[in-house]
Amino acid sequence: QVQLVQSGGGLVQPGGSLRLSCAASGFTLDYYVEGWFRQAPGKEREGIAFIMNSDGSTYYADSVKGRFTISRDSAKNTVYLQMNGLKPEDTAVYYCATDPRVRYVSFDSHDYGYWGQGTQVTVSS
C-alpha cells in the first residue's frame, strides 16, 4: 500500500518551533520533487516548501521563507519540515505531497497525487 505517513503536529506558542515528518510506506520516497502544503479554514491549499531530489535545491513560499526549512533523510525514507518562529497565521492543517509525474517544482496542489493524511498545527497562547 502506497502511503505517506505524517507526524509531529500539535499546539505551540507563538515564536516556538515544531518539526513535521513525512515517511513513505510502500515505496521509496525518491521522486523528483517532494513538498509541503497547508490549508487553513476557508482558505486555499497553499504550497509552502519543496525540495528537488536531484540536487537538493529548495523552494519556499514568501510566507514561510526564512522560518521554515525542508530537508530529506534518504536512509529513513523521510522528508521533514522544520518550522521556527511560528506565528498564529501559521495555524493550519499541513500535508506532505509528492508525485512521480512532477519533474520540477510546482506550487499547485492539483499537480500532486500522493498525499499524507494531514496534521494539525496550532500556534496560540
Side-chain angles (χ1 to χ4, degrees):
Q1 189 74 33
V2 174
Q3 292 183 337
L4 294 173
V5 181
Q6 298 179 217
S7 62
L11 175 66
V12 66
Q13 294 184 339
S17 298
L18 285 173
R19 188 172 75 161
L20 305 183
S21 298
C22 176
S25 177
F27 70 104
T28 301
L29 192 60
D30 64 352
Y31 296 145
Y32 298 103
V33 180
E34 289 113 27
W36 290 91
F37 292 78
R38 67 185 183 185
Q39 188 164 23
K43 296 185 178 180
E44 294 293 318
R45 189 162 38 182
E46 176 190 18
I48 56 171
F50 300 87
I51 186 166
M52 293 287 295
N53 285 325
S54 58
D55 61 3
S57 59
T58 57
Y59 304 83
Y60 299 94
D62 289 341
S63 57
V64 307
K65 193 173 298 182
R67 300 187 297 120
F68 291 10
T69 303
I70 186 171
S71 62
R72 186 176 186 275
D73 187 335
S74 296
K76 296 181 178 179
N77 209 27
T78 300
V79 173
Y80 302 96
L81 184 68
Q82 178 67 45
M83 304 184 293
N84 299 326
L86 284 162
K87 305 174 181 179
E89 52 263 44
D90 295 319
T91 296
V93 177
Y94 284 70
Y95 301 89
C96 58
T98 191
D99 196 297
R101 301 168 298 177
V102 179
R103 292 175 170 82
Y104 297 95
V105 165
S106 172
F107 282 73
D108 188 348
S109 65
H110 299 97
D111 290 340
Y112 297 85
Y114 292 15
W115 291 90
Q117 80 276 18
T119 185
Q120 178 71 47
V121 172
T122 302
V123 184
S124 176
S125 297

